[in-house]
Amino acid sequence: MFKTKVLIIGPSESGKTVLANFLSDTVETIGGNYSPTQGVRILEFDSQKHGSGDRDSSCEVELWDCGGDFKFESCWPALMKDSNGVVIVFNADVPSHVREVETWHSTFVASQGLEDSQCLLLVHHKPGSGTDTSPPSLASHLSKLPLVHSNLEEDPEDVRREFGQFLTSVVKTMSENRENEEMSIIT
């Protein structure tokens, strides 16, 4: 069984904690009063890999719900250590969130040398905000990344399914990297 560390990052008030709680089945209800994450929350759960075909049918997930305030920037290197995947959550209705996506990507994905398959852009639609599913205006290198619109009011299981596919992709990349490393030792 693989153990994977996935960071949920993005601007403050983008919905990271609500999504982390939902994906890890931590709470029964969606929503509530806003309380900014101070630093990081780590949620652990098992997830079934979807359509992987591997002999292991599940993986242990450490989901790191990271605070979006830049005052925690000094902690980011410790958060990134040994991470296998990054979910960048933002609200496309907030222009500053869209502009920040490139910063979050360069800091948490590009600097670690993670592959596109290890990053997921998640446009979170808060309750009552509507569901404009048009692609946000992002830098060209970010437009190649998988992008998912989430609306936990209208289609929560779609979000869970997309996250499951992302986990499958992350675990596949981890497996391939492990095999390449083993082969380099042998040869």
Side-chain angles (χ1 to χ4, degrees), residues 18-66:
V18 169
L19 285 161
N21 288 342
F22 172 74
L23 293 170
S24 65
D25 289 324
T26 301
V27 294
E28 293 295 319
T29 59
I30 298 169
N33 294 333
Y34 175 69
S35 177
T37 300
Q38 300 299 309
V40 67
R41 297 169 55 238
I42 303 171
L43 306 166
E44 295 181 288
F45 60 98
D46 290 337
S47 177
Q48 297 298 318
K49 293 191 298 187
H50 304 279
S52 66
D54 290 350
R55 63 183 179 277
D56 294 330
S57 62
S58 66
C59 69
E60 290 179 39
V61 179
E62 278 186 7
L63 194 59
W64 290 49
D65 173 18
C66 304

Side-chain angles (χ1 to χ4, degrees), residues 90-103 121 123 132-144 147 149:
F90 63 102
N91 181 342
D93 297 331
V94 181
S96 65
H97 283 200
V98 176
R99 288 191 304 269
E100 284 183 37
V101 170
E102 190 163 1
T103 301
L121 300 178
V123 183
D132 178 14
T133 58
S134 59
S137 179
L138 298 171
S140 62
H141 67 281
L142 297 175
S143 62
K144 296 182 286 184
L147 182 125
H149 288 267

Side-chain angles (χ1 to χ4, degrees), residues 176-187:
E176 289 169 355
N177 290 344
R178 181 186 292 174
E179 288 174 14
N180 290 340
E181 190 176 306
E182 289 171 355
M183 291 305 292
S184 71
I185 292 171
I186 293 171
T187 55

